[in-house]
Amino acid sequence: MSDRVLLVARTAEEAAHELPMPAIAFFFVAFGLFLVALAITWSFRNTAYKLQAPRGAQTDVHHEAIEPPQAHH
């Protein structure tokens, strides 16, 4: 029985796959992708402000000030 366990252990060692690149390269790839995503996000800063209508042209009836009822003395 122990011979079979050793045989399976040796076979498992041989079947192990090596990484396609060094471990530090995975860090650099992930960090590079993060920087690309950051650059794309940064390029859209202030876009909503640039696309909104000017304040003078915008008339909205729902935001009028409501005055409280006046007390009569």
Side-chain angles (χ1 to χ4, degrees), residues 2-47:
S2 63
D3 292 336
R4 289 186 182 180
V5 172
L6 291 176
L7 180 63
V8 169
R10 283 187 205 139
T11 308
E13 285 180 13
E14 293 172 4
H17 298 283
E18 293 185 19
L19 295 174
M21 54 186 166
I24 192 72
F26 286 102
F27 166 75
F28 288 125
V29 168
F31 190 69
L33 291 174
F34 171 75
L35 290 178
V36 168
L38 179 66
I40 291 171
T41 303
W42 188 259
S43 69
F44 286 102
R45 70 187 189 282
N46 294 329
T47 302

